[in-house]
Amino acid sequence: MSKETLKKSVTTIEALAIVVGMIIGSGIFLKPAIVLGHAGSQWMSIFAWVAGGVITLASALTVAEIAAAIPKSGGLYTYLEELYGGVFGFLLGWVQTVISYPASVAALAIAFATYSGYFLPMGGFVQKLVAVGILLFILLMNVLSTKYGGIIQMVATAGKLVPVIGIIAVGLASGDAPGFAGISSGATAAGFGAAVLGTLWAYDGWIGVTNMAGEIRNSARTLPRVILGGVLFVMVVYVLFNLAIFRALPFEAIVNSKTPGADAADALFGNGGGAFITAGIIVSVLGALNGYLMTAARVPQAMGEQGQVPFSRVLGAVHPKFKTPANALIFQAALAVLYIFSGTFDTLTDLLVFVLWIFFTMGVFGVFLLRRRQKTEAGRYRVPLYPITPLVGVIGGGYIIVSTIMAEPARSFIGIGITLIGLPVYYYMAGKRKRQAGV
């Protein structure tokens, strides 16, 4: 079936919830200690969060122009295909469909079960069953209706913000600021760079909403708004959250903490703080899980429509009654269940970090190609401060690529190898399409 059979049911608020919900996961509660440790001082830590936010915002402002010009489902996969050629789009879609998205979904499902163990202790196997159970529930809701997935996303996003806003409000209102009283080690260029790198992982995930462009009402106008609004909102929340932690915990306690968010909650709300923040993490992970599964399915569905993958008719089909990419959703969930029971999800996602950032940086750079090839329609969104803004995004992406390959060269090249395995599939399917067309 054609893309037009997908129901345009995603509202602006639901799209905004996808952006915020996919960015804010467990990272906000765990990363402050890592960033502060690398930055070496309190204000350099805050500056690192701002710098990471600026790089992310520059990328978001840039990709928003591409999204407005190419308002099609598939997101970055579709943009790369149109701007760089079929093989580049396919390779990204290949690693997203087979490994990246389902492995991320598996990791989030396991995280949900792990944090749930705070309230209901469970063994390893039971933990996996709980992970599969919550995944199947999210799958069912998204198969029945994209609207159900959108409602879950809005509720989970609102729920995850409750503990975050609570810590910010109580922390900033506190008269004490023990976190600013500690002795900092001073910032170095390498340390600050590592701190910014840590924040960029916490800002990741916003581009997933572009996968659903074909189902967002008036997507050419809506996507730029929700991408920019969502990223800017998260940037402000992250900075305020870190300032609140500095008002709740001493400097050394933050640096040495594995769970600074929970420790800050304990300090601000008493012994119940840990339960409060853990509940917040559970809701955060639930929202991220729903967002990732919802957006993940749109890539194989778009590839299936174009006949680029085996079983394209099945994966590209839209359910005749529910108007959802049901088969693609089930396929992604099935792979995720496989990764849950095999325990390989963390290894697989780590292997592909380098590759995914190559594709992401290509996507940001793509705005230069877009402007050379297309005349901008009157009234259509354009990235501000061009070409400075996209260059900031490209430089930020390039920094991650170089840092990753220097830190883990073997893992980076293994990731490239996994990606290139998709080439035989691409050329086989391209030849099959030619034969069917009688060329």
Side-chain angles (χ1 to χ4, degrees), residues 36 40 54 78 84 89 95 98 108 114 123 127 167 174 216 223 232 425:
L36 178 60
V54 169
T78 301
Y84 292 94
V95 296
V98 178
L108 288 165
T114 301
Q127 200 174 73
I167 290 175
S174 173
I216 297 174
L223 276 174
L232 191 58
V425 179

Side-chain angles (χ1 to χ4, degrees), residues 22 101 104-105 108 153 204-205 287-297:
M22 289 186 69
Y101 273 134
S104 295
V105 167
L108 288 165
Q153 196 64 35
D204 192 31
L289 172 60
N290 181 75
Y292 266 88
L293 183 61
M294 180 189 292
T295 57

Side-chain angles (χ1 to χ4, degrees), residues 265-282:
D266 279 333
L268 294 171
F269 302 108
N271 293 333
F276 179 59
I277 206 69
T278 302
I281 293 176
I282 291 172

